[in-house]
Amino acid sequence: MTNPDKQKPVEVTDVETAAEKTSEPTPASGTSTITQRWKREDLIKKASPITRGICLLFSLLAFLIMVSNKHGYGRNFNEYEEYRYVLAISIISTLYTAWQTFAHFSKREFFDRRTSTLVDFSGDQIVAYLLISAASSAIPLTNRFREGQDNIFTDSAASAISMAIFAFVALALSALFSGYKLSTHSFI
């Protein structure tokens, strides 16, 4: 028999060596895929309320810092639309994450499981986008004020904006966890 590709014949030892290198761990020698999935789901169950709690903290800080940002004529947060928007969204974010954290720790079911998973995912997405929208609308105004002079008003505004950004990051992580829960949930 001729070899049209002029390749050397494959030896049995080459096949055995390749099989040893690519072999998957068996349940007896390593952790099984079931226990890995259980660990992953347990981690997500613990991480989701933690990220919402962190978002609650940062949203509350953004709210408190922005409300206390009153330093005389021309230096009150309520004279500028962008800062009022940051305040309004931080209030919404604080209320939403407080409700979600309360619902998780009270173990009460306000909706059926399918609706609750969908509300978690969509609520996390909506509030996260509102937070980053509010922060991005107030950044140019704060930068314009800082060009003229740097004072306690601009420092307070910048710190409230950064708290809103941190709240966005925490809620974006929570949205990822909610999305994973939604994708693994059976809707049958």
Side-chain angles (χ1 to χ4, degrees):
M1 186 151 112
T2 62
N3 188 354
D5 296 334
K6 300 194 189 242
Q7 295 177 349
K8 80 173 198 172
V10 177
E11 299 291 326
V12 175
T13 57
D14 294 339
V15 174
E16 290 173 353
T17 306
E20 289 174 0
K21 289 180 182 177
T22 61
S23 67
E24 297 283 327
T26 61
S29 66
T31 57
S32 70
T33 57
I34 293 173
T35 56
Q36 288 175 350
R37 182 175 178 184
W38 288 343
K39 287 179 183 178
R40 181 176 49 239
E41 288 176 358
D42 189 43
L43 177 68
I44 288 173
K45 279 184 183 178
K46 291 177 183 175
S48 182
I50 290 172
T51 55
R52 283 198 181 112
I54 291 170
C55 179
L56 174 63
L57 174 71
F58 286 133
S59 298
L60 188 62
L61 284 173
F63 164 68
L64 293 174
I65 292 169
M66 191 56 80
V67 164
S68 65
N69 198 9
K70 291 186 174 188
H71 302 286
Y73 179 73
R75 295 193 218 167
N76 292 329
F77 81 92
N78 56 357
E79 295 176 13
Y80 305 99
E81 287 180 25
E82 294 86 349
Y83 295 149
R84 290 192 309 247
Y85 184 47
V86 170
L87 178 71
I89 298 304
S90 63
I91 290 171
I92 291 171
S93 175
T94 301
L95 292 175
Y96 170 76
T97 54
W99 175 68
Q100 286 285 12
T101 307
F102 170 75
H104 181 271
F105 287 120
S106 69
K107 307 277 189 207
R108 284 183 58 189
E109 294 286 332
F110 293 103
F111 306 110
D112 65 336
R113 184 163 293 196
R114 187 167 92 186
T115 306
S116 178
T117 306
L118 195 58
V119 166
D120 289 350
F121 178 68
S122 58
D124 289 350
Q125 291 275 322
I126 291 168
V127 175
Y129 287 129
L130 286 174
L131 279 167
I132 199 65
S133 169
S136 66
S137 71
I139 288 173
L141 179 65
T142 305
N143 286 339
R144 207 169 36 247
F145 283 155
R146 283 186 173 237
E147 288 174 359
Q149 63 181 356
D150 193 15
N151 55 28
I152 193 166
F153 176 69
T154 57
D155 290 343
S156 296
S159 62
I161 292 167
S162 47
M163 292 299 120
I165 291 173
F166 290 148
F168 160 75
V169 170
L171 204 56
L173 284 173
S174 180
L176 286 174
F177 297 140
S178 299
Y180 176 78
K181 288 179 189 176
L182 184 65
S183 69
T184 59
H185 191 73
S186 174
F187 289 103
I188 298 175

